[in-house]
C-alpha cells in the first residue's frame, strides 16, 4: 500500500486547519486506497499546543489515517538522534540548522521532509496553517485529488490522469515528482497595504526581488504577477502535465516525490519568508515533468502580523527575503544553464552541481544588498507612519541583516552537504509513537 505524508508545520493555534486536513486525509484513503500519515509539527507555546492537541484528540479515528502531532521538545529529541546517527562532525550545528531558536520557514519544511522519510512515505503533501479549501456545492476541493493521480508515476502513465498534456515524448519515462496548484485570495506576501498606500512605492519595492540582470520590461512584467496567485475560482477540474512554469507552483499547495526532497533541502534561513522554493527551482529548471492543477487553496493572513511587534517581525522577514535573492539568483541562474544536466541517468536530481552553485554564491558582492536597503529606507519613509518606524528598525540592524543574509547562504551549503546522511539516519531512526496526545 502506498504510504504518504500529509504535512502541516505550524507556529500558531490552528484547530480548524487540523480538522480540515484530517478530512483531506480521509478523502485520500477513501478515493485512492493509500495510507496517510498526517504529520503536524507544532512549535507553539504550551497553551496553543494544547488547543491544537485538543483538535487532534477530537478527530474521529479513520482506518488508514495515522495522526502525528509533535511539539518542539519531541521534534528536538528526534532531530538530535538523527544528527548524531548521521555521523556528522558537528551534530549540534545540524540540530540548529533544522530547529533554530527562531522562525525559519525552510527549516520547518525540512523537518517535515525528514519526518516523512522516518515514516517511510513515498511523497509529502504540504499545506499551511493560514489557508482554506475552495468549496463548490458543499464539497471541499482537496488538492490531494490531483496529487495522488500523478505523483511518483512515470509521466507517460500520468497522462491518463490529467485534462491536458504538454509532455515531451522523450520525458515519458521520467517520474512526476511535483504536483502543484496555486492560491486565490490575499497576496502570498503580506505587502498589500503598501499597494493601497502608494502603488508607485509598491512597484519600486517589489522590483527589488526581480533579477537585476533582466531588462526593465522583464522586471516590470515580473512585478505585475508577483505574489498574486490565480484570479480564477474553481469551476471544473483542470490539470496540465509537462514542465511547469515556476510561477504556477506554490509551496503551500504541493506534493513532492521523495526522490526530490530526499536529495535537496530548503534554505534554513532565519526569519526569512520565501526561503522554501529552491527545490522547486531545481525541479523546474532541470526539465522534470510535473502537473499543475486548479484546486487552488484560499490564502488569508492572521491579524497578528499587521500590528505592533507582529508587523515589524513579519516585514523584517520580507526584508531578509529581498536580501536573500543576492545569493539565490546565481544559484537559480546556474540551474537554468545546467538544465537537464541537473539530472542523473536515472532521472534523479544530482546534488553535486547544486552544492557547487550554492558554495559559489556565498562570496557574491553584496553591493546589491546595500542598494536594496537604501531603496527600502527611502520607500518606507515615504509611506510614513508605522513604515517610517520600520525604516528606523531596519536602519538600526543594517549590518546585522547584511551579515545574516550571507550566513544563511553558508548554512545552506552545510545542510546540502549533510542532507543525504540526515535522510538515511531518519529512515533508520523512525519517528516513534504517533502523537503526544491520546493514542490514535
Amino acid at each position: 500500500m502506498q504510504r504518504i505524508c500529509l504535512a502541516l508545520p505550524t507556529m500558531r493555534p490552528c484547530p480548524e486547519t487540523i480538522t480540515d486536513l484530517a478530512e483531506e486525509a480521509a478523502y485520500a484513503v477513501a478515493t485512492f486506497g493509500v495510507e496517510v500519515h498526517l504529520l503536524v509539527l507544532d512549535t507553539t507555546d504550551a497553551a496553543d499546543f494544547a488547543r491544537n492537541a485538543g483538535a487532534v484528540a477530537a478527530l474521529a479515528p479513520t482506518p488508514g489515517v495515522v495522526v502525528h502531532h509533535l511539539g518542539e521538545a519531541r521534534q528536538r529529541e528526534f532531530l538530535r538522534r538523527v544528527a548524531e546517527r548521521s555521523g556528522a562532525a558537528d551534530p549540534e550545528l545540524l540540530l540548529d540548522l533544522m530547529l533554530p531558536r527562531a522562525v525559519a520557514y525552510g527549516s520547518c519544511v525540512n523537518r517535515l521532509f525528514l519526518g516523512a522519510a522516518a515514516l517511510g512515505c513515498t511523497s509529502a503533501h504540504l499545506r499551511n496553517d493560514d489557508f482554506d479549501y475552495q468549496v463548490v456545492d458543499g464539497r471541499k476541493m482537496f488538492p490531494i485529488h490531483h496529487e495522488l493521480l500523478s505523483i511518483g508515476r512515470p509521466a507517460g502513465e500520468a497522462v491518463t490522469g490529467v485534462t491536458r498534456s504538454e509532455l515531451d515524448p522523450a520525458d515519458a519515462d521520467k517520474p512526476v515528482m511535483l504536483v502543484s496548484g496555486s492560491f486565490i485570495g490575499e497576496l502570498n506576501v503580506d505587502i498589500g497595504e503598501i499597494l493601497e498606500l502608494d502603488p508607485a512605492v509598491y512597484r519600486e519595492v517589489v522590483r527589488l526581488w526581480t533579477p537585476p540582470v533582466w531588462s526593465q520590461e522583464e522586471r516590470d512584467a515580473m512585478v505585475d504577477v508577483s505574489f498574486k496567485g490565480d484570479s480564477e475560482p474553481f469551476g471544473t477540474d483542470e490539470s496540465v502535465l509537462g514542465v511547469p512554469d515556476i510561477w504556477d507552483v506554490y509551496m503551500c499547495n504541493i506534493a513532492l516525490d521523495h526522490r526530490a526532497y530526499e536529495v535537496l533541502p530548503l534554505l534554513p534561513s532565519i526569519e526569512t519568508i520565501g526561503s522554501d522554493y529552491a527545490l522547486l527551482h531545481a525541479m523546474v529548471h532541470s526539465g522534470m515533468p510535473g502537473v499543475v492543477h486548479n484546486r487552488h487553496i484560499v490564502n488569508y493572513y492572521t491579524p497578528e502580523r499587521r500590528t505592533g511587534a507582529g508587523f515589524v517581525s513579519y516585514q523584517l522577514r520580507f526584508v531578509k527575503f529581498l536580501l536573500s535573492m543576492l545569493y539565490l539568483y546565481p544559484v537559480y541562474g546556474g540551474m537554468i544553464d545546467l538544465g537537464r544536466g541537473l539530472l542523473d541517468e536515472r532521472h534523479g536530481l544530482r546534488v553535486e552541481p547544486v552544492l557547487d552553485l550554492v558554495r559559489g554564491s556565498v562570496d557574491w558582492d553584496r553591493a546589491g544588498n546595500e542598494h536594496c536597503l537604501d531603496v527600502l529606507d527611502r520607500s518606507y519613509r515615504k509611506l510614513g507612519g508605522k513604515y517610517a518606524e520600520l525604516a528606523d528598525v531596519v536602519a538600526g540592524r543594517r549590518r546585522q541583516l547584511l551579515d545574516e543574509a550571507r550566513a544563511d547562504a553558508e548554512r545552506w551549503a552545510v545542510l546540502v552537504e549533510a542532507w543525504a546522511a540526515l535522510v538515511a539516519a531518519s529512515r533508520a531512526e523512525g519517528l516513534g509513537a504517533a502523537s503526544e496526545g491520546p493514542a490514535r
Side-chain angles (χ1 to χ4, degrees):
M1 179 183 293
Q2 183 181 0
R3 179 181 294 186
I4 70 167
C5 180
L6 180 57
L8 173 71
T10 186
M11 57 182 183
R12 60 176 62 90
C14 57
E16 295 85 2
T17 302
I18 291 171
T19 301
D20 283 345
L21 283 175
E23 287 186 41
E24 186 171 21
Y27 174 87
V29 171
T31 307
F32 296 96
V34 296
E35 178 180 303
V36 182
H37 287 257
L38 174 53
L39 177 59
V40 181
L41 297 187
D42 189 337
T43 54
T44 56
D45 60 23
D48 290 337
F49 182 88
R51 289 183 60 188
N52 290 338
V56 171
L59 297 175
T62 301
V65 177
V66 183
V67 183
H68 309 263
H69 180 212
L70 279 66
E72 186 167 349
R74 177 128 172 252
Q75 293 176 54
R76 191 171 298 280
E77 175 190 349
F78 165 70
L79 292 167
R80 186 179 298 281
R81 294 197 309 268
V82 166
E84 292 172 351
R85 183 187 280 262
S86 74
D90 190 349
E92 286 298 324
L93 173 59
L94 294 183
L95 181 61
D96 183 60
L97 294 175
M98 293 300 302
L99 187 56
R101 305 283 183 178
V103 174
Y105 295 91
S107 293
C108 71
V109 179
N110 286 337
R111 296 197 298 274
L112 292 171
F113 291 159
L114 292 189
L119 291 166
C121 296
T122 58
S123 57
H125 305 251
L126 305 182
R127 307 291 183 258
N128 209 344
D129 59 8
D130 50 7
F131 87 98
D132 288 320
Y133 299 104
Q134 293 191 71
V135 179
V136 178
D137 297 330
R139 294 186 303 117
K140 295 174 182 174
M141 294 295 104
F142 296 127
I144 210 162
H145 175 83
H146 286 292
E147 292 169 353
L148 288 179
L149 284 171
S150 300
I151 195 69
R153 298 179 65 187
E157 296 179 10
V159 169
T160 60
V162 297
T163 57
R164 188 169 88 250
S165 175
E166 298 174 354
L167 182 69
D168 185 330
D171 292 337
D173 292 336
K174 295 179 180 177
V176 174
M177 296 203 290
L178 179 160
V179 181
S180 184
S182 186
F183 66 96
I184 62 174
E186 300 189 72
L187 301 179
N188 70 331
V189 174
D190 196 0
I191 55 173
E193 186 181 55
I194 299 177
L195 178 61
E196 295 171 4
L197 291 171
D198 192 324
V201 168
Y202 173 85
R203 293 193 68 84
E204 187 169 24
V205 168
V206 175
R207 283 184 85 255
L208 291 172
W209 97 282
T210 62
V213 297
W214 281 13
S215 68
Q216 285 286 111
E217 293 76 15
E218 289 172 322
R219 298 180 77 184
D220 286 340
M222 184 169 167
V223 170
D224 290 336
V225 299
S226 292
F227 315 130
K228 295 180 180 178
D230 199 290
S231 60
E232 292 296 323
F234 183 86
T236 187
D237 276 306
E238 297 177 8
S239 54
V240 182
L241 172 66
V243 178
D245 190 304
I246 194 65
W247 293 101
D248 294 331
V249 295
Y250 182 48
M251 200 61 179
C252 300
N253 182 8
I254 199 164
L256 296 167
D257 185 83
H258 73 102
R259 288 165 288 185
Y261 61 77
E262 290 182 356
V263 173
L264 182 64
L266 310 182
L267 276 76
S269 304
I270 304 296
E271 301 288 355
T272 307
I273 63 172
S275 57
D276 46 4
Y277 278 77
L279 174 58
L280 305 190
H281 276 270
M283 298 174 71
V284 168
H285 299 326
S286 67
M288 287 295 293
V291 172
V292 295
H293 62 81
N294 67 335
R295 291 199 175 202
H296 308 315
I297 62 171
V298 182
N299 184 61
Y300 67 88
Y301 281 113
T302 49
E304 77 275 359
R305 70 185 67 191
R306 291 183 169 175
T307 58
F311 167 78
V312 172
S313 294
Y314 183 85
Q315 295 302 323
L316 282 174
R317 293 169 197 164
F318 174 65
V319 171
K320 287 200 64 180
F321 159 70
L322 296 176
L323 298 178
S324 73
M325 302 318 298
L326 177 73
Y327 303 98
L328 284 173
Y329 277 134
V331 176
Y332 296 164
M335 289 177 176
I336 292 171
D337 291 342
L338 286 166
R340 295 174 188 264
L342 286 167
L343 303 178
D344 61 26
E345 65 279 359
R346 295 176 296 175
H347 313 309
L349 282 174
R350 297 172 56 222
V351 71
E352 295 83 2
V354 178
L355 181 55
D356 288 342
L357 291 171
V358 175
R359 287 172 173 159
S361 75
V362 169
D363 293 322
W364 208 254
D365 183 353
R366 66 187 196 181
N369 275 353
E370 297 274 9
H371 170 72
C372 176
L373 291 179
D374 290 342
V375 173
L376 287 173
D377 187 82
R378 181 175 68 247
S379 299
Y380 289 153
R381 295 190 190 284
K382 184 175 182 180
L383 294 173
K386 63 183 181 181
Y387 288 94
E389 296 173 6
L390 173 63
D392 289 337
V393 174
V394 174
R397 301 185 188 181
R398 183 183 181 101
R399 191 58 49 192
Q400 175 187 347
L401 292 169
L402 292 168
D403 290 344
E404 287 180 354
R406 184 181 189 278
D408 285 341
E410 294 173 329
R411 288 159 62 89
W412 188 28
V414 171
L415 188 58
V416 171
E417 188 172 18
W419 190 244
L422 288 172
V423 169
S426 296
R427 285 203 206 99
E429 189 67 36
L431 199 58
S435 177
E436 291 184 354
R440 304 303 303 158

